């Protein structure tokens, strides 16, 4: 195993050295701005008619970024930039040969539809991060924070700035007024900032840019031009206070006798968000009793493999500046900081009797949170987050009216500290992270860990004009708790120390702590020419535990990765761009077991008419798993092949669609997957758009884990043949009365049904043949009396029931919807009127998905919430 990993890494290193090319010549363009005379003002109306613009020089000569990279743009664009003591002003003229064909689609903020212009400013001049300001021909505003040299664009960043656009006989024009307080920069007599102006000419689907960037470039921000002439401007400290008030009315089906479900509730809530600029570079964000009532609900999901489900963060406080706190140390979603842990569902449950009712809280209350973050002029990225969630109680009342409360989530403190330092002319960085979770635990919650601490170091070095890179990180974790808590941790599906055939791990019931490590090392080529490649190794030790404030799916794994891709970036008469990629990975556990290898091909092509196709296929000749039997022995799956095909029409059109198909087949028909995907986008007129995304999935499996039991003192692992079908559809529409007033709807029904037949028990879990892996129960061994829902097993045919299996059939039904009216009545201040509906329940597994949809969603009384939220953003 060690030789295989060493050879893979050595091959990547040698290949990188051999094919390293000389730096390509790059001419950096410069724009020299001027200061407006004192007393002259610019009115932001999009018309560029103010006297103050007359002495500001124009710059043009835009070139095409996509599709015909480097050629002269088909439509002329020019811009000018000026500034005064508090604002920077940008004026842009977008010429169009057919002005009445300009696409002016209305949408909500940060929806980039139709013709638009974008200004990117790297005020740190760090060649990695930038602020993006966008306005469409319809006047819709967009803004994003760019990080990772253009790999990550954070649309949750919502600064206060001013913009307008105007269409005339020459095309369209736009003006922007951006406060210096919304940008970050250091003290200097003359600022030197990175600058890019980017235009989308919608009708021709052409992207043109001021600073030429090759499609071979390794990134976006590092390739910007220069903005000069900003002299003697003073950094502006930001001070914003945003109180909010929420009125909420809940109506739901009442339950006879249940005092907590009488049919309606009314809640009045208030809180405060604040943003304080400690310096121009560093900001302190505060929130007291935050409310996230207008945030979309999580999509429906069900996991039969026992692992936790990862959900994206949607709450504004945690999304803003999340790039600074991000520490994705491995692959997938594994991260040292997963903000969804803060405010999580209570982990304890009330102990109630049959004649008692309980009101169980769904989330922990965030009493307050503070976030200190920013990046200094000399390259320090700093982040410190502190949050406290309160004690959560389940209220209990019996039929006689006696009341009591039981603690189900303790007072918990979360802390995250993050630092990175750029050096080597911004081509390298070195960083670190530290997190801590501390709980104040009473005796009945000692199954939780009382302390969890992680620390990590990460680095990245780029060379050869950033075309080549090496990056890596290392993570260490330490968790403490009672013997019960640490035993639960050892037995959890993330660790499974109780595995009966594992020689390198075992459960120690006397332990009160665990300490583990993880990390990654990767080297590759990210730019230059048409070829890209990378290779590396990832590891997670058996005792690594991050799930108090991070996300870790599975420990005890060493993974080797390698990939190579070819880009086709020069358009032809057939396509605009295309790429293909070959990749391979293999995994081992820390005992040295060779568990998996996979070879995969992926390809993408964007045709000349803007339709596109995406295709992929993979072969898995070896698949072993330490987790399938939930603490039982290592399991072997039959060899698998899978493939997918997606294609779609031109997304610019009023009506566009995507169709997709995914198919997976295992040898001996061990398992299979068929997924059908349909997405539709329709914009019948500029102010309204509708999108529908539907998926239907069939996932039969002859050896789906059911339960563990005992037979004659030996463990018995029971699996069955599951017929699982899942259907979901998300529906969204947006109607914009103007750029600041819109109505949006989101709704998603989700149904998953599974029925089991052909129960069997594991015989030889690592046998090559499926028939040797499991033994099917005969009709004389298994029965299901009409008086019970359980299956009775007489394994040894002696007429006595040896054990029984609870019927695992299921039908899970969920519906969530939000109808939101949003009005930004002044920049940064909003009113939300929200109507939410929801229902969660269990359908009849013996009925079809369609029947369960009709009965459990369409025909079911739903929980309704009406919420009015108002905020006002004070700028001091």
């Amino acid at each position: 195993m060690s030789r295989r990993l060493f050879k893979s890494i050595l091959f990547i290193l040698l290949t990188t050295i051999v094919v390293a090319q000389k730096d390509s010549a790059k001419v950096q363009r410069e724009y020299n701005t001027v200061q407006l005379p004192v007393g002259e003002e610019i009115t932001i109306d999009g018309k560029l008619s103010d006297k103050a613009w007359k002495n500001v020089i124009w710059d043009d000569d835009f070139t095409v970024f996509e599709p015909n990279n480097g050629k002269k743009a088909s439509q002329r664009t020019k811009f000018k930039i000026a500034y005064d003591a508090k604002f920077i002003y940008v004026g842009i003229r977008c010429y169009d040969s057919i002005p009445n064909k300009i696409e002016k689609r209305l949408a909500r903020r940060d929806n980039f539809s139709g013709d638009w212009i974008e200004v990117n400013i790297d005020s740190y001049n760090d060649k990695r991060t930038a602020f993006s300001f966008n306005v469409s021909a319809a006047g819709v505003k967009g803004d994003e924070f760019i990080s990772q040299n253009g790999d990550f664009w954070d649309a949750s960043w919502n600064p206060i700035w001013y913009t307008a656009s105007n269409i005339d006989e020459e095309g369209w024009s736009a003006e922007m007024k951006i406060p210096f307080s919304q940008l970050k920069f250091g003290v200097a007599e003359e600022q030197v900032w990175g600058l890019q102006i980017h235009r989308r000419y919608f009708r021709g689907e052409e992207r043109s840019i001021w600073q030429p960037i090759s499609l071979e470039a390794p990134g976006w921000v590092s390739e910007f031009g220069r903005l000069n002439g900003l002299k003697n401007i003073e950094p502006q400290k930001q001070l914003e206070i945003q109180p909010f008030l929420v009125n909420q009315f809940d109506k739901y089906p009442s339950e006879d006798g249940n005092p907590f479900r009488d049919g309606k509730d009314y809640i009045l809530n208030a809180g405060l968000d604040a943003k304080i600029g400690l310096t121009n570079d560093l900001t302190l964000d505060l929130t007291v009793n935050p409310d996230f009532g207008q945030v979309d609900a999580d999509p429906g999901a069900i996991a039969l493999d026992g692992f936790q489900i990862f959900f994206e963060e949607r709450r504004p406080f945690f999304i803003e500046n999340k790039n600074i706190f991000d520490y994705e140390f491995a692959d997938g979603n594994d991260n040292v900081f997963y903000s969804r842990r803060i405010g999580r569902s209570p982990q304890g449950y009330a102990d109630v009797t049959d004649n008692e009712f309980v009101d169980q809280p769904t989330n922990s209350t965030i009493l307050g949170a503070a976030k200190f973050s920013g990046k200094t002029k000399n390259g320090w990225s700093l982040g410190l987050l502190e949050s406290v969630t309160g004690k959560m109680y389940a209220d209990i009342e019996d039929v006689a009216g006696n009341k009591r409360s039981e603690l189900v989530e303790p007072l918990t403190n979360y802390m995250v500290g993050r630092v990175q330092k750029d050096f080597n002319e911004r081509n390298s960085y070195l960083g670190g992270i530290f997190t801590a979770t501390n709980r104040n635990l009473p005796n009945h919650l000692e199954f939780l860990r009382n302390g969890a601490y992680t620390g990590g170091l990460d680095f990245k070095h780029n060379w050869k004009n950033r075309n080549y890179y090496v990056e890596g990180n290392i993570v260490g974790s330490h968790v403490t708790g009672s013997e019960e808590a640490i035993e639960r941790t050892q037995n959890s599906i993330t660790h499974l120390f109780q595995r009966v055939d594992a020689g390198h791990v075992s459960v120690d019931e006397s332990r009160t702590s665990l300490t583990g490590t993880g990390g990654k090392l990767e080297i590759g080529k990210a730019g230059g020419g048409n070829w890209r490649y990378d290779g590396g190794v990832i590891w997670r030790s058996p005792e690594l535990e991050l799930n108090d404030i991070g996300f870790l799916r599975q420990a005890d794994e060493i993974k080797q990765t390698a990939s190579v891709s070819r880009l086709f970036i020069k358009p032809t008469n057939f396509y605009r761009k295309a790429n293909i990629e070959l990749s391979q990975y293999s995994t081992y556990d820390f005992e040295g077991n060779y568990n998996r290898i996979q070879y995969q091909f992926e390809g993408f092509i964007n045709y000349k008419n803007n339709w596109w196709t995406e295709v992929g296929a993979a072969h898995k000749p070896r698949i072993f798993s330490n987790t399938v039997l939930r603490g039982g022995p290592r399991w072997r799956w039959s060899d698998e092949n899978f493939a997918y095909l997606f294609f779609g029409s031109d997304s610019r059109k009023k009506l566009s669609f995507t169709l997709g198909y995914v198919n997976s087949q295992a040898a001996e028909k061990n398992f299979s997957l068929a997924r059908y995907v349909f997405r539709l986008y329709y914009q019948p007129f500029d102010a309204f758009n509708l999108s529908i995304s539907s998926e239907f999935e069939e996932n039969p499996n002859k050896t789906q884990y059911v339960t563990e039991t005992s037979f004659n003192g030996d463990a018995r692992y029971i699996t069955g043949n599951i017929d699982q079908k899942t259907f979901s559809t998300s529906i969204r529409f947006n109607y914009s009365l103007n750029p600041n007033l819109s109505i949006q709807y989101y709704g998603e029904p989700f149904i998953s049904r599974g029925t089991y037949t052909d129960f069997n028990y594991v015989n030889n879990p690592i046998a090559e043949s499926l028939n040797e892996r499991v033994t099917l129960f005969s009709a004389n061994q298994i029965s299901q009396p009409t008086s019970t829902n359980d299956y009775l097993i007489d394994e040894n045919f002696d007429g006595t029931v040896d054990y029984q299996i609870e019927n695992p059939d299921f039908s899970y039904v969920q519906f969530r919807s939000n109808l939101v009216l949003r009005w930004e009545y002044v920049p940064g201040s909003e009113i939300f009127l929200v109507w939410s509906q929801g229902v969660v329940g269990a359908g009849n597994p013996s009925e079809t998905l369609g029947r369960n949809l009709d009965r459990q969603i369409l025909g079911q009384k739903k929980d309704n919430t009406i919420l009015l939220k108002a905020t006002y953003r004070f700028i001091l």
Side-chain angles (χ1 to χ4, degrees):
M1 176 187 70
S2 300
R3 282 198 298 253
R4 184 189 297 266
L5 294 175
F6 175 76
K7 288 178 180 179
S8 299
I9 297 172
L10 182 62
F11 171 77
I12 296 296
L13 285 167
L14 291 175
T15 305
T16 301
I17 295 171
V18 170
V19 304
Q21 303 169 354
K22 294 181 179 180
D23 293 355
S24 57
K26 183 183 73 172
V27 177
Q28 187 178 40
R29 301 195 66 187
E30 298 186 22
Y31 181 86
N32 294 296
T33 184
V34 296
Q35 186 171 15
L36 296 176
V38 176
E40 290 196 6
E41 296 183 354
I42 293 177
T43 302
I44 303 302
D45 56 11
K47 296 180 180 180
L48 297 168
S49 57
D50 296 286
K51 178 182 175 182
W53 280 123
K54 295 189 182 302
N55 295 323
V56 185
I57 62 170
W58 289 102
D59 200 338
D60 55 6
D61 195 22
F62 278 55
T63 59
V64 175
F65 181 62
E66 287 183 325
N68 300 301
N69 184 255
K71 292 188 176 182
K72 186 176 180 62
S74 63
Q75 306 289 326
R76 186 184 174 203
T77 308
K78 63 181 183 179
F79 72 94
K80 55 175 65 177
I81 298 176
Y83 70 98
D84 59 22
K86 291 189 176 182
F87 301 95
I88 185 169
Y89 301 88
V90 184
I92 305 167
R93 160 62 68 180
C94 300
Y95 292 94
D96 196 302
S97 55
I98 313 176
N100 61 359
K101 294 289 187 180
I102 294 172
E103 195 71 26
K104 46 187 185 300
R105 297 184 180 180
L106 280 170
R108 287 183 64 168
R109 184 171 180 164
D110 294 331
N111 189 305
F112 307 103
S113 298
D115 285 273
W116 50 251
I117 196 78
E118 178 183 82
V119 177
N120 294 167
I121 298 175
D122 176 12
S123 56
Y124 289 123
N125 201 25
D126 65 1
K127 303 185 185 304
R128 288 174 54 208
T129 61
F131 303 94
S132 177
F133 303 89
N134 182 297
V135 63
S136 74
V140 177
K141 177 192 294 186
D143 31 57
E144 296 174 292
F145 181 74
I146 310 170
S147 60
Q148 300 176 24
N149 198 12
D151 286 343
F152 183 76
W153 297 64
D154 182 3
S156 67
W157 180 62
N158 288 321
I160 294 178
W161 60 290
Y162 311 90
T163 187
S165 61
N166 179 66
I167 298 175
D168 56 28
E169 66 279 0
E170 292 184 306
W172 67 284
S173 56
E175 290 177 308
M176 297 180 180
K177 178 182 177 181
I178 304 168
F180 286 129
S181 64
Q182 305 300 299
L183 302 172
K184 307 299 178 185
F185 53 92
V187 177
E189 183 178 347
E190 180 176 352
Q191 300 287 330
V192 177
W193 293 354
L195 176 68
Q196 182 64 285
I197 311 292
H198 179 198
R199 177 186 177 182
R200 183 189 189 187
Y201 167 50
F202 184 88
R203 195 166 63 256
E205 188 55 337
E206 178 183 272
R207 308 295 181 95
S208 57
I209 49 179
W210 169 67
Q211 168 65 53
I213 298 179
S214 169
L215 292 176
E216 300 176 6
W220 180 253
V221 182
S222 61
E223 312 303 304
F224 284 4
R226 285 166 51 120
L227 175 63
N228 302 323
L230 293 164
K231 298 179 180 179
N232 299 315
I233 62 172
E234 296 184 2
Q236 305 289 313
K237 292 183 180 180
Q238 196 174 8
L239 179 55
E240 300 175 8
I241 300 174
Q242 188 174 35
F244 65 83
L245 181 68
V246 178
N247 281 287
Q248 179 175 328
F249 176 71
D250 297 322
K251 192 174 187 307
Y252 46 84
S254 61
E255 297 179 12
D256 291 340
N258 188 342
F260 304 113
R261 300 285 294 179
D262 61 0
K264 57 185 178 181
D265 295 312
Y266 177 74
I267 301 171
L268 179 64
N269 195 18
L272 178 73
D273 296 322
K275 189 182 296 290
I276 304 170
L278 303 179
T279 68
N280 182 68
D281 300 312
L282 303 172
T283 302
L284 178 64
D285 292 273
L286 302 170
T287 184
V288 178
N289 191 30
D291 172 78
F292 307 110
Q294 77 279 5
V295 175
D296 281 352
D298 292 321
I302 188 169
L304 296 183
D305 58 9
F307 287 103
Q308 58 185 323
I309 298 173
F310 181 90
F311 290 112
E312 294 286 346
E313 179 59 86
R314 300 169 182 266
R315 300 170 296 178
F317 176 81
F318 294 105
I319 292 177
E320 186 173 359
N321 274 356
K322 71 178 181 180
N323 65 291
I324 289 180
F325 295 91
D326 182 68
Y327 198 101
E328 188 176 298
F329 78 97
D331 56 356
N333 296 311
D334 289 350
N335 206 308
V336 172
F337 176 47
Y338 178 47
S339 55
R340 292 291 296 260
R341 302 296 185 203
I342 302 175
R344 70 191 302 169
S345 298
Q347 299 169 83
Y349 291 91
D351 185 15
V352 297
T353 61
D354 291 339
N355 66 342
E356 291 181 317
F357 299 96
V358 61
D359 184 18
Q360 175 83 14
T362 56
N363 296 99
S364 302
T365 299
I366 301 174
L367 300 178
K371 181 169 59 177
F372 167 78
S373 60
K375 186 166 187 174
T376 66
K377 184 70 175 179
N378 57 0
W380 285 98
S381 293
L382 303 172
L384 180 65
L385 185 147
E386 178 79 16
S387 181
V388 177
T389 58
K391 294 181 178 181
M392 301 305 297
Y393 292 88
D395 295 324
I396 304 163
E397 186 173 338
D398 63 19
V399 293
N402 299 310
K403 301 178 181 179
R404 61 187 177 91
S405 296
E406 191 170 316
L407 186 69
V408 291
E409 182 72 15
L411 182 71
T412 306
N413 183 82
Y414 300 93
M415 190 277 288
V416 182
R418 184 76 163 105
V419 61
Q420 274 189 349
K421 177 65 171 70
D422 297 341
F423 57 96
N424 187 27
E425 297 181 347
R426 311 289 185 170
N427 286 307
S428 309
Y429 69 75
L430 179 67
I433 192 170
F434 177 77
T435 75
T437 305
N438 295 102
R439 298 184 177 93
N440 183 12
L441 295 175
N443 291 336
H444 74 282
L445 291 181
E446 282 195 342
F447 64 87
L448 299 176
R449 295 181 286 269
N450 59 28
Y453 310 92
T454 61
L457 295 173
D458 62 337
F459 73 91
K460 186 171 185 177
H461 172 60
N462 300 282
W463 71 95
K464 289 289 183 183
N465 197 29
R466 295 179 178 253
N467 288 333
Y468 299 89
Y469 70 92
V470 58
E471 66 177 344
N473 60 63
I474 186 169
V475 171
S477 70
H478 180 71
V479 296
T480 62
S482 66
E483 293 179 355
E484 178 188 3
I486 300 304
E487 183 181 356
R488 279 170 54 97
T489 304
Q490 295 174 79
N491 287 326
S492 70
I493 195 166
T494 301
H495 303 279
L496 297 176
F497 280 18
Q498 71 273 34
R499 300 199 307 270
V500 296
D501 59 345
H504 64 303
V505 292
S506 61
V507 176
D508 184 345
E509 298 177 357
S510 65
R511 296 191 65 171
T512 56
S513 67
L514 291 175
T515 303
T517 65
K520 177 175 87 170
L521 178 65
E522 181 178 295
I523 187 168
K525 181 173 183 286
N530 296 317
W531 291 93
R532 306 285 187 271
Y533 50 81
D534 61 70
V537 62
I538 298 166
W539 81 93
R540 309 170 184 87
S541 77
E543 293 191 359
L544 181 68
E545 175 54 58
L546 305 177
N547 288 315
D548 290 274
I549 197 173
F551 189 94
L552 178 65
R553 177 181 168 89
Q554 184 180 353
D556 193 9
E557 184 178 74
I558 302 170
K559 184 175 184 178
Q560 166 269 323
T561 66
S563 72
V564 59
S565 59
R566 171 65 158 88
L567 309 181
F568 300 87
I569 54 182
K570 185 176 181 180
T572 69
N573 290 330
F574 182 57
Y575 63 81
R576 297 166 63 92
K577 62 181 178 180
N579 64 72
I580 57 173
E581 179 177 342
L582 296 174
S583 61
Q584 171 272 331
Y585 76 83
S586 55
T587 67
Y588 308 80
D589 62 31
F590 272 66
E591 193 173 16
N593 293 310
Y594 174 27
N595 285 333
R596 182 182 291 248
I597 188 166
Q598 176 173 317
Y599 306 95
Q600 186 163 340
F601 161 81
E602 294 179 286
F604 173 83
I605 184 169
N606 180 205
Y607 301 106
K608 194 70 175 178
N609 63 356
N610 271 303
W611 287 48
W612 57 271
T613 298
E614 187 176 9
V615 63
H619 174 53
K620 303 178 185 180
R622 185 180 185 90
I623 315 173
F624 286 81
S625 171
N626 292 335
T627 63
V628 167
L629 298 180
R630 318 286 173 88
R634 188 163 164 254
W635 170 265
R636 179 172 190 163
W637 292 107
S638 300
D639 299 354
E640 179 190 2
N641 295 296
F642 80 80
Y644 63 85
L645 173 65
F646 284 76
F647 72 94
S649 64
D650 185 351
S651 62
R652 296 173 304 156
K653 302 299 184 182
K654 296 285 189 178
L655 179 65
S656 62
F657 69 90
T658 296
L659 293 176
Y661 177 62
V662 182
N663 185 275
S664 170
Q665 299 291 332
E668 303 176 279
K669 297 183 178 179
N670 188 170
F671 59 86
S672 67
L673 168 70
R675 179 182 298 140
Y676 306 86
V677 178
F678 171 70
R679 301 186 185 115
L680 178 73
Y681 178 84
Y682 182 47
Q683 184 148 17
F685 51 94
D686 287 339
F688 179 83
N689 63 70
L690 169 71
S691 66
I692 300 173
S693 179
S694 291
E695 291 191 13
F696 174 70
E697 182 178 293
E698 296 179 294
N699 190 13
N701 183 346
K702 291 183 177 180
T703 54
Q704 173 63 48
Y705 177 82
V706 176
T707 189
E708 177 187 350
T709 185
S710 177
F711 176 65
N712 290 336
D714 297 325
R716 268 286 182 259
Y717 303 99
I718 309 299
T719 70
N721 185 357
I722 185 176
D723 176 21
Q724 184 181 6
K725 293 181 173 64
T726 302
F727 171 79
S728 67
T729 294
S730 65
I731 303 170
R732 295 180 183 270
F733 75 72
N734 186 86
Y735 178 67
S736 298
L737 286 80
N738 59 57
N740 299 314
L741 179 60
S742 63
I743 300 172
Q744 187 175 51
Y745 174 80
Y746 160 78
E748 182 183 29
F750 175 87
I751 307 171
S752 186
R753 187 210 70 179
T755 56
Y756 290 75
T757 58
D758 298 334
F759 292 95
N760 51 76
Y761 64 89
V762 176
N763 186 24
N764 181 0
I766 59 173
E768 183 174 355
S769 170
L770 176 61
N771 292 331
E772 295 178 8
R773 253 175 275 154
V774 297
T775 299
L776 190 68
F777 290 121
S778 70
N780 295 326
Q781 287 177 296
I782 186 168
S783 61
Q784 187 181 28
T786 56
S787 59
T788 178
N789 197 36
D790 295 344
Y791 290 93
L792 308 182
I793 310 297
D794 176 14
E795 186 173 325
N796 56 11
F797 299 97
D798 65 357
T800 302
V801 174
D802 296 307
Y803 47 87
Q804 61 187 44
I805 305 168
E806 184 179 350
N807 187 347
D809 292 353
F810 66 88
S811 180
Y812 175 78
V813 181
Q814 174 181 293
F815 175 73
R816 291 284 186 267
S817 73
N818 269 352
L819 180 64
V820 181
L821 184 146
R822 173 188 173 272
W823 178 28
E824 189 174 1
Y825 57 96
V826 295
S829 302
E830 300 169 311
I831 291 177
F832 294 93
L833 179 60
V834 182
W835 174 31
S836 296
Q837 282 193 314
V839 61
V840 177
N844 187 343
S846 64
E847 293 186 337
T848 64
L849 292 182
R851 179 61 65 85
N852 281 319
L853 171 68
D854 179 54
R855 291 191 178 185
Q856 300 300 319
I857 294 181
L858 300 179
Q860 187 75 267
K861 289 185 177 180
K862 301 172 183 64
D863 295 346
N864 288 270
T865 295
I866 296 177
L867 178 149
L868 177 64
K869 179 177 180 179
T871 70
Y872 186 80
R873 199 166 176 178
F874 293 93
I875 303 177
L876 306 175

